[in-house]
Amino acid sequence: MVLGGSGSIGKNQINDIGMGGLSFYYTDNGQPTTQKSHNVSLIQDGRPTIFHIPCRTICDAETGELIFPNQRVKRRSVKFDRLSIRQKKQVKQLIKEFAVKR
């Protein structure tokens, strides 16, 4: 799961992940998204995995799904900025584990 990111506070389901970035689903809170650069943290099996990954929003699109009135599901794609060596290793491990679960 993804935690954080402008306009997507809370836990959000990862859709896809690679070394360059990730995409995730979230429930839109209706607040305008003005911040393109932000940090996200990744959580796996209820435990924090990778903290404060710097990234930039590339795409933020509605999926067409409604959970409740005025709560739309959106998919955000982000591009990772510079990752530390440790973060790169952690992302590689997460990709391996994500591929197995699919």
Side-chain angles (χ1 to χ4, degrees):
M1 296 187 146
V2 178
L3 178 64
S6 175
S8 61
I9 303 303
K11 295 180 181 177
N12 307 291
Q13 187 65 43
I14 292 176
N15 176 56
D16 197 15
I17 185 168
M19 288 307 296
L22 61 87
S23 66
F24 59 93
Y25 294 106
Y26 71 97
T27 304
D28 185 16
N29 62 11
Q31 299 296 317
T33 304
T34 57
Q35 188 178 13
K36 292 287 184 190
S37 295
H38 43 86
N39 290 314
V40 296
S41 296
L42 303 180
I43 299 170
Q44 185 178 17
D45 300 327
R47 60 179 168 73
T49 305
I50 310 173
F51 290 106
H52 307 297
I53 302 171
C55 58
R56 287 179 281 142
T57 299
I58 302 300
C59 180
D60 196 36
E62 289 188 22
T63 64
E65 296 178 58
L66 284 174
I67 296 179
F68 297 105
N70 299 323
Q71 288 190 326
R72 301 183 187 285
V73 176
K74 295 180 91 174
R75 186 178 78 195
R76 177 170 294 169
S77 299
V78 298
K79 179 180 187 267
F80 297 145
D81 288 336
R82 289 188 172 175
L83 299 176
S84 69
I85 292 170
R86 181 172 186 232
Q87 286 175 323
K88 286 179 185 178
K89 288 179 184 178
Q90 291 172 319
V91 169
K92 284 180 186 178
Q93 182 62 35
L94 193 61
I95 291 168
K96 287 179 188 176
E97 293 173 14
F98 189 75
V100 169
K101 289 182 179 181
R102 288 201 149 222

